[in-house]
Amino acid sequence: VWLLETEKIPVMRGQWFIDGTWQPLEEEESNLIEQEHLNRFKGQQLQESFDMEVSKPVDGKEAIHSLKLSRNHVDWHSVDEVYLYSDATTSKIARTVTQKLGFSKASSSGTRLHRGYVEEATLEDKPPQTSHIVFVVHGIGQKMDQGRIIKNTAMMRDTARKIEEKYFSNLATHVEFLPVEWRSKLTLDGDTVDSITPDKVRGLRDMLNSSAMDIMYYTSPLYRDELVKGLQQELNRLYTLFCSRNPEFEEKGGKVSIVSHSLGCVITYDIMTGWNPVRLYEQLLQKEEEELEDRWISYEEQHLLEELYVTRQRLREIEERLYGLKASTISKPPVLKFKVENFFCMGSPLAVFLALRGIRPGHSGSQDHILPRTICNRLLNIFHPTDPVAYRLEPLILKHYSNISPVQIHWYNTANPLPYEHMKPSFLNPTKEPTSVTESESVSAVPSPTTSPVMVRRHYGESITNIGKASILGAASIGKGLGGMLFSRFGRSSTSTPQTLETGKDGAEGDDKKATSAGSPPLPHSSSGFLEPTVELEHRIDFELREGLVESRYWSAVTSHTAYWSSLDIALFLLTFMYKQDQEDPDKSNLDSI
């Protein structure tokens, strides 16, 4: 049980359970019934067959023993036929009427009780071996609702259990989801922000201070390191604690994945890659040196630059010698105590942070362009199409993927879905965005993400996602730290004009090529709408939940960012990738449809 340190929840052993629901009785009543049962029937044998018809009423049998409780009474018809009756006036009247009509007391108003749970325990009963642990990292707003990540992780765990029972029941191992609560232990500015907050609309201001303020803290040079260290230390603490309680996990090659939400994706990424603003400053200095080499400068300026260059070289040599001395005496521990197998981002603004740091599309389809596979084997970006905080990562690797649809996540109940690695890239289908709710939005709304029939694809470049884009860009710009010079300099960095690709068989080559703008080269495609072989990603990264037919986009923009936790579609998606090695085993026929 993973709880906050301040919470204490008693764990009790159930003795008497209600037939049908198998819910335990209250502890006080259960203890009284247990004591009476042992005094009266100790030593008598139960029926040999445990799989008896437990719901069959005892018509015509007289009670051989009774016990009066405060609001109820219990009748024993035999050692294993026990009924609970309410002594409320309405229950007594109903019992009298039904008995006069010929029904027995037990069948008319009694609730059958069972001693012990529905299944007998055996020596072999034990939790399945955990082969994969998933750390679930929260984003903003945890200060506003402490413990929310524990509840969200519990929802994700319960949903994953249902999927495991349906598709992965033949496996002897399972995936365990563990919440990572890193925000509540941080002090940051103390109560300084609260003290400068005006009193008018205080509730709204407090909500913003407890949620959106986390973005400002992270973009602040003063508090960024505290947030990074808070999450890093909590991840390592939980991993160490888990391994101490499961010593065979590392010995048998247990794997670790991370599921991060919202701002948690950015912090987790920076921990894994070791990124910090100083690196951006060093890149700026290097860029300035390159620009100076390309322009004419005076003799005096050149002489000063040479002295500056020599001084910097000397400074770097001294720093390297100093670090070498420290490394020889103190071995620096790794940032994380484990290798990350899969990094799942949900509702993530990571792409816009990387863009503001100067990441631009390259010419290779490798994930290494933004996250080296030596650090993390697989990066997967999950989002709902109307989530205003979510951004795509693929166009940061290959620019033309901005015109290619994200991979559609399968509904959990889809029969024989096509494996994700076999799904071909397809073009987006831009259509005019409706200008008002009444044009195409239904009044009824379904919580998102949903598993309703999919809508016709729309281009989301002009959708309500722009609202989120403006808010995230605005918040991220608050803590530029080194001034607007850094980001604006990289923002103006020139990009090479992409080469014009060959058109398809049906496309004209002459005037059409001239009419094509440099920023949007024509992409080769077939009449089916799928891409012909060209520069492609080694693995797809962007995965999109399906919109529902009756789903209001404007309502989804409000709810979609926090609606990932209980989605069966996402649960199946996560487990599909984490159980991938087992799925490739030909003996696992149960998984052929995933």
Side-chain angles (χ1 to χ4, degrees):
V1 181
W2 296 82
L3 303 169
L4 292 176
E5 294 180 356
T6 56
E7 292 188 39
K8 291 184 179 180
I9 298 179
V11 179
M12 296 168 289
R13 179 184 180 184
Q15 291 178 312
W16 288 87
F17 296 84
I18 298 173
D19 180 39
T21 63
W22 289 98
Q23 293 297 311
L25 289 181
E26 294 291 336
E27 185 179 17
E28 183 180 352
E29 288 188 347
S30 180
N31 288 339
L32 292 172
I33 296 173
E34 176 68 9
Q35 183 179 354
E36 191 73 15
H37 183 81
L38 291 176
N39 292 339
R40 177 67 175 80
F41 299 101
K42 189 174 182 179
Q44 296 191 25
Q45 296 294 321
L46 294 172
Q47 294 185 24
E48 290 184 2
S49 175
F50 190 78
D51 298 326
M52 55 188 173
E53 188 64 34
V54 294
S55 298
K56 185 177 179 181
V58 285
D59 294 333
K61 277 191 180 181
E62 293 294 333
I64 59 176
H65 188 70
S66 294
L67 171 66
K68 182 71 175 70
L69 303 174
S70 58
R71 299 177 305 240
N72 309 295
H73 72 272
V74 180
D75 286 350
W76 278 262
H77 298 272
S78 68
V79 65
D80 58 351
E81 294 175 332
V82 186
Y83 283 81
L84 175 71
Y85 300 94
S86 172
D87 287 339
T89 304
T90 53
S91 298
K92 289 181 178 180
I93 295 173
R95 193 155 52 238
T96 302
V97 172
T98 53
Q99 283 183 278
K100 287 184 177 181
L101 293 175
F103 295 96
S104 67
K105 177 183 177 182
S107 62
S108 60
S109 61
T111 300
R112 186 164 185 177
L113 303 180
H114 298 284
R115 186 171 181 263
Y117 202 57
V118 64
E119 295 178 1
E120 288 182 320
T122 64
L123 293 176
E124 291 75 24
D125 284 345
K126 58 183 179 180
Q129 180 185 350
T130 300
S131 61
H132 207 128
I133 58 176
V134 182
F135 290 121
V136 185
V137 180
H138 64 78
I140 65 173
Q142 190 68 18
K143 182 182 177 183
M144 180 174 58
D145 187 6
Q146 289 192 15
R148 170 57 59 183
I149 186 59
I150 297 173
K151 300 172 186 175
N152 289 339
T153 305
M155 284 193 290
M156 179 171 282
R157 185 187 299 116
D158 293 342
T159 307
R161 291 292 174 269
K162 296 177 183 177
I163 296 297
E164 276 186 328
E165 291 174 2
K166 184 174 182 180
Y167 294 109
F168 307 96
S169 59
N170 59 334
L171 300 181
T173 60
H174 86 294
V175 177
E176 183 58 61
F177 293 81
L178 305 177
V180 183
E181 203 291 296
W182 52 267
R183 177 64 175 84
S184 61
K185 297 179 182 178
L186 305 182
T187 56
L188 299 175
D189 66 277
D191 58 353
T192 305
V193 171
D194 290 336
S195 66
I196 62 175
T197 303
D199 290 330
K200 296 297 182 182
V201 291
R202 185 73 187 198
L204 177 60
R205 294 179 187 273
D206 287 342
M207 183 185 71
L208 292 174
N209 287 349
S210 300
S211 55
M213 188 63 65
D214 287 346
I215 300 176
M216 301 182 187
Y217 283 135
Y218 193 65
T219 53
S220 164
L222 188 61
Y223 299 113
R224 179 187 178 277
D225 285 347
E226 187 176 352
L227 268 70
V228 171
K229 289 180 180 177
L231 176 55
Q232 173 191 330
Q233 292 173 358
E234 187 65 7
L235 283 168
N236 287 334
R237 185 188 74 84
L238 291 175
Y239 181 75
T240 303
L241 180 61
F242 181 85
C243 290
S244 67
R245 296 178 178 177
N246 302 269
E248 295 182 352
F249 178 75
E250 287 185 309
E251 296 174 4
K252 295 188 176 181
K255 296 181 180 179
V256 182
S257 292
I258 296 179
V259 173
S260 292
H261 180 244
S262 190
L263 181 65
C265 302
V266 183
I267 305 176
T268 305
Y269 174 88
D270 288 349
I271 290 174
M272 290 193 296
T273 59
W275 187 92
N276 60 72
V278 176
R279 181 184 299 180
L280 189 63
Y281 178 66
E282 292 174 349
Q283 292 174 356
L284 174 63
L285 293 179
Q286 183 179 358
K287 186 177 179 62
E288 287 182 342
E289 291 176 1
E290 293 173 356
E291 290 178 352
L292 288 173
E293 292 176 358
D294 295 337
R295 70 179 179 86
W296 182 88
I297 55 177
S298 65
Y299 174 80
E300 183 180 0
E301 189 176 359
Q302 182 178 358
H303 179 69
L304 290 173
L305 286 174
E306 289 176 354
E307 289 187 359
L308 178 62
Y309 177 78
V310 172
T311 304
R312 285 177 178 168
Q313 286 291 104
R314 178 62 178 159
L315 178 61
R316 288 171 185 168
E317 291 175 2
I318 295 173
E319 287 178 344
E320 289 175 359
R321 289 173 59 188
L322 179 61
Y323 291 149
L325 288 174
K326 289 183 177 180
S328 63
T329 56
I330 302 174
S331 58
K332 185 178 180 181
V335 176
L336 292 177
K337 295 182 178 180
F338 51 87
K339 167 74 182 297
V340 180
E341 187 70 18
N342 302 291
F343 179 31
F344 299 96
C345 298
M346 297 193 310
S348 170
L350 176 60
V352 76
F353 276 81
L354 296 181
L356 291 176
R357 295 171 183 176
I359 299 294
R360 294 295 179 266
H363 303 287
S364 168
S366 174
Q367 171 190 301
D368 293 348
H369 185 67
I370 55 178
L371 182 62
R373 298 191 67 177
T374 55
I375 297 175
C376 174
N377 185 46
R378 190 74 187 268
L379 171 64
L380 303 107
N381 183 37
I382 306 168
F383 60 94
H384 189 275
T386 59
D387 185 346
V389 182
Y391 289 82
R392 293 190 61 184
L393 284 169
E394 290 175 345
L396 283 181
I397 301 176
L398 292 174
K399 186 173 182 180
H400 68 270
Y401 267 76
S402 61
N403 297 317
I404 296 173
S405 300
V407 181
Q408 295 281 292
I409 293 178
H410 297 310
W411 293 320
Y412 76 97
N413 54 0
T414 301
N416 300 320
L418 184 67
Y420 289 111
E421 58 269 22
H422 296 160
M423 297 176 72
K424 295 182 179 180
S426 60
F427 285 106
L428 288 169
N429 181 25
T431 59
K432 184 180 178 182
E433 192 75 20
T435 56
S436 65
V437 181
T438 55
E439 281 190 31
S440 63
E441 304 295 341
S442 172
V443 177
S444 59
V446 175
S448 174
T450 63
T451 54
S452 305
V454 67
M455 295 180 68
V456 177
R457 293 269 329 175
R458 293 177 180 173
H459 183 59
Y460 31 84
E462 302 173 357
S463 70
I464 197 166
T465 309
N466 287 333
I467 299 174
K469 185 181 295 184
S471 63
I472 296 297
L473 287 173
S477 66
I478 291 175
K480 292 180 180 177
L482 299 174
M485 171 182 63
L486 292 177
F487 295 115
S488 61
R489 181 67 61 94
F490 282 100
R492 293 195 301 270
S493 62
S494 60
T495 56
S496 59
T497 304
Q499 297 178 354
T500 305
L501 302 175
E502 296 180 4
T503 57
K505 294 181 180 179
D506 298 333
E509 295 185 359
D511 297 335
D512 288 351
K513 287 187 179 180
K514 297 178 182 179
T516 304
S517 64
S520 303
L523 295 174
H525 62 90
S526 63
S527 58
S528 64
F530 293 110
L531 282 174
E532 294 292 347
T534 181
V535 181
E536 293 186 10
L537 293 172
E538 292 178 357
H539 299 286
R540 293 302 302 269
I541 295 175
D542 291 336
F543 294 86
E544 181 185 60
L545 287 160
R546 298 174 185 263
E547 283 186 277
L549 184 63
V550 294
E551 187 175 347
S552 167
R553 286 195 167 189
Y554 293 90
W555 176 246
S556 293
V558 178
T559 62
S560 59
H561 187 60
T562 57
Y564 298 97
W565 309 106
S566 59
S567 171
L568 289 167
D569 300 342
I570 288 181
L572 177 59
F573 179 84
L574 298 178
L575 295 177
T576 297
F577 281 91
M578 284 184 280
Y579 279 130
K580 188 173 182 181
Q581 292 180 348
D582 293 324
Q583 292 176 9
E584 292 172 354
D585 189 340
D587 295 334
K588 305 291 190 300
S589 57
N590 238 15
L591 305 177
D592 292 343
S593 62
I594 302 300

